[in-house]
């Protein structure tokens, strides 16, 4: 298994990226080759800080970096020798099985779509992320790739998100829901209403609409929406977690009694912190492209990079895209059958 890592992508590159990649090599034996793509001098300087043999590491030089504030489309067109572009090229050429990047999200999505294209049966790719809830971990899709999807795109997100939930998270029959402004079937806009109608015709375990009140209530394992709403939900959830954590810390430090209680409950707080830590889940996955693309958080720690590489290996090892192609073929056959005119019933005289 061969993984290409954009060593210059992210707020703390290349130091955090290289450290996380080396940690992944130590813990994931199935990786045969790890490409670290970026400024060779800087990447090798970081490698010298890590006690690791370079037998499974290959540094690929790239002279340019797509910065976090670069306009995505322009950056992809102009910076042909960027670390991100070169890493994706390795996947396109068949030299790597997956790419991991903590760089500019828009540029990564654009470049991956343009260079790798979509899988057979998929119109537009979508960004899937994992969100922890008290009783389950659910897939939110789309979290930032497609701002103006068609209803059929949301159906495809349901198919791909369900496969993600089933194959990677281990849910036997994932519950799929449309994110809307109410749980009633007639609630929503034209996009969600039509997506609802189409989803009822599939073999998915479709449970209807879900709204903000029930987002964390274990009502669904896959929640589908457009990128605008999905990205807003994701960032609002992250912000809320940080806010509650800050409030809790402030309140527990107000007097010695509370501080002593917090010390006694330290194990519970550590467990809660681990569950809510986005670095644990390894970033978002761009589903629907002809390759495996993992988008790690821009401020990724070495732990986040290691887990992003772990997720990449899980998708490659599980032949995820092959299953998606099969799922899409079954979906299209099902929808075509539903749309076909039915023969008129015979009448007896």
């Amino acid at each position: 298994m061969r993984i290409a890592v954009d060593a210059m992508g992210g707020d703390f590159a290349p130091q955090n990226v290289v450290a996380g990649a080396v940690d992944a090599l130590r813990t994931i034996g199935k990786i045969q080759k790890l490409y670290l793509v970026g400024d060779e001098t800087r990447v090798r300087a970081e490698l010298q800080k890590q006690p690791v043999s370079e037998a499974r590491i290959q540094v690929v030089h790239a002279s340019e970096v797509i910065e976090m504030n670069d306009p995505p489309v322009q950056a992809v067109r102009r910076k042909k020798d960027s670390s991100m572009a070169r890493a994706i090229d390795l996947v396109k050429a068949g030299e790597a099985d997956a790419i991991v990047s903590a760089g500019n999200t828009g540029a990564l999505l654009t470049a991956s779509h343009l260079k790798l294209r979509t899988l057979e049966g998929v119109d537009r790719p979508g960004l899937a992320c994992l969100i922890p809830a008290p009783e389950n971990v659910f897939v939110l899709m789309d979290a930032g790739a497609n701002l103006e999807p068609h209803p059929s795109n949301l159906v495809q997100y349901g198919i791909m998100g369900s496969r993600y939930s089933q194959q990677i998270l281990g849910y036997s029959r994932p519950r799929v829901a449309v994110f809307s402004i109410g749980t009633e079937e007639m609630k929503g806009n034209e996009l969600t209403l039509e997506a609802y109608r189409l989803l009822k015709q599939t073999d998915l375990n479709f449970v209807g609409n879900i709204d903000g009140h029930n987002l964390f209530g274990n009502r669904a394992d896959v929640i589908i929406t457009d990128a605008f709403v999905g990205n807003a939900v994701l960032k609002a959830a992250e912000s809320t977690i940080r806010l509650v954590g800050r409030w809790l810390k402030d309140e527990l430090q107000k007097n010695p009694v509370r501080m002593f209680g917090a010390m006694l409950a330290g194990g519970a707080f550590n467990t809660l912190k681990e569950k809510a830590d986005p670095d644990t889940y390894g970033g978002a996955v761009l589903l629907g492209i002809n390759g495996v693309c993992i988008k790690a958080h821009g401020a990724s720690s070495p732990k986040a990079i290691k887990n992003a590489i772990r997720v990449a290996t899980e998708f490659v090892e599980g032949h995820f895209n092959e299953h998606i192609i099969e799922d899409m073929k079954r979906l299209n056959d099902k929808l075509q059958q539903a749309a076909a005119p039915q023969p008129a019933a015979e009448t007896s005289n």
Side-chain angles (χ1 to χ4, degrees):
M1 189 177 304
R2 304 152 304 170
I3 310 295
V5 179
D6 172 13
M8 309 306 293
D11 299 332
F12 304 106
Q15 59 268 34
N16 282 9
V17 179
V18 173
V22 169
D23 196 12
L25 280 179
R26 294 194 189 105
T27 56
I28 307 174
K30 64 189 72 173
I31 299 176
Q32 300 167 326
K33 176 75 71 174
L34 191 67
Y35 296 98
L36 293 177
V37 187
D39 185 309
E40 185 170 5
T41 301
R42 295 180 63 188
V43 172
R44 292 197 179 279
E46 294 299 326
L47 280 173
Q48 290 177 358
K49 302 175 185 178
Q50 306 293 330
V52 64
S53 169
E54 293 191 25
R56 291 189 289 159
I57 295 177
Q58 181 174 334
V59 179
V60 178
H61 180 66
S63 62
E64 297 176 300
V65 177
I66 294 180
E67 304 293 346
M68 299 300 275
N69 59 351
D70 281 347
V73 176
Q74 293 181 18
V76 170
R77 288 176 176 171
R78 296 176 181 176
K79 296 186 176 181
K80 304 293 187 181
D81 196 43
S82 68
S83 56
M84 182 184 293
R86 291 291 304 277
I88 296 173
D89 286 340
L90 289 171
V91 178
K92 181 179 179 180
E95 297 179 44
D97 302 301
I99 174 180
V100 173
S101 176
N104 184 310
T105 302
L108 180 63
L109 302 184
T110 300
S112 297
H113 193 181
L114 289 175
K115 290 174 177 287
L116 303 179
R117 301 300 180 180
T118 57
L119 294 171
E120 182 181 351
V122 177
D123 297 325
R124 296 185 184 181
L127 196 63
C129 66
L130 300 181
I131 297 185
E135 298 176 73
N136 70 331
V137 175
F138 63 86
V139 178
L140 177 68
M141 185 175 182
D142 179 15
N146 188 3
L147 290 173
E148 297 181 351
H150 299 292
S152 60
N153 299 141
L154 264 61
V155 177
Q156 292 174 3
Y157 295 164
I159 294 287
M160 293 188 286
S162 185
R163 172 61 63 176
Y164 187 178
S165 181
Q166 184 177 18
Q167 187 168 323
I168 304 300
L169 299 180
Y171 293 102
S172 60
R173 188 156 166 72
R175 299 160 297 173
V176 180
V178 174
F179 192 72
S180 188
I181 57 173
T183 58
E184 299 87 354
E185 182 174 351
M186 71 288 300
K187 290 290 184 70
N189 55 22
E190 292 183 8
L191 174 67
T192 61
L193 290 173
E194 179 61 12
Y196 190 111
R197 187 188 69 81
L198 292 173
L199 282 162
K200 288 199 301 182
Q201 302 176 36
T202 71
D203 294 328
L204 292 172
N205 185 14
F206 180 55
V207 296
N209 286 338
I210 192 170
D211 61 17
H213 288 139
N214 299 309
L215 189 64
F216 299 97
N218 194 24
R219 301 287 183 88
D221 306 302
V222 179
I223 299 176
I224 57 175
T225 184
D226 63 88
F228 186 92
V229 173
N231 193 262
V233 169
L234 175 63
K235 290 179 178 176
E238 292 175 343
S239 177
T240 300
I241 290 173
R242 288 194 297 268
L243 176 62
V244 172
R246 189 176 70 192
W247 278 349
L248 185 60
K249 182 178 180 181
D250 291 343
E251 291 299 323
L252 291 174
Q253 292 180 340
K254 282 193 173 180
N255 60 60
V257 175
R258 291 185 179 183
M259 293 175 66
F260 180 69
M263 182 180 66
L264 294 178
F269 287 133
N270 288 336
T271 300
L272 180 62
K273 181 179 179 181
E274 180 70 13
K275 286 183 177 179
D277 185 3
D279 289 0
T280 302
Y281 300 96
V285 187
L286 183 61
L287 300 181
I289 61 166
N290 190 22
V292 174
C293 176
I294 311 298
K295 172 61 180 78
H297 198 283
S300 285
S301 65
K303 173 185 175 182
I305 297 297
K306 179 190 75 172
N307 282 322
I309 294 172
R310 171 187 55 79
V311 172
T313 64
E314 292 172 351
F315 273 80
V316 174
E317 186 178 40
H319 303 285
F320 188 86
N321 285 342
E322 295 176 20
H323 291 299
I324 289 296
I325 293 173
E326 295 171 357
D327 292 343
M328 288 301 171
K329 186 178 186 307
R330 283 194 296 270
L331 167 67
N332 291 329
D333 290 345
K334 180 80 173 179
L335 294 179
Q336 287 176 8
Q337 290 175 7
Q342 299 299 315
E346 295 185 2
T347 58
S348 59
N349 295 325

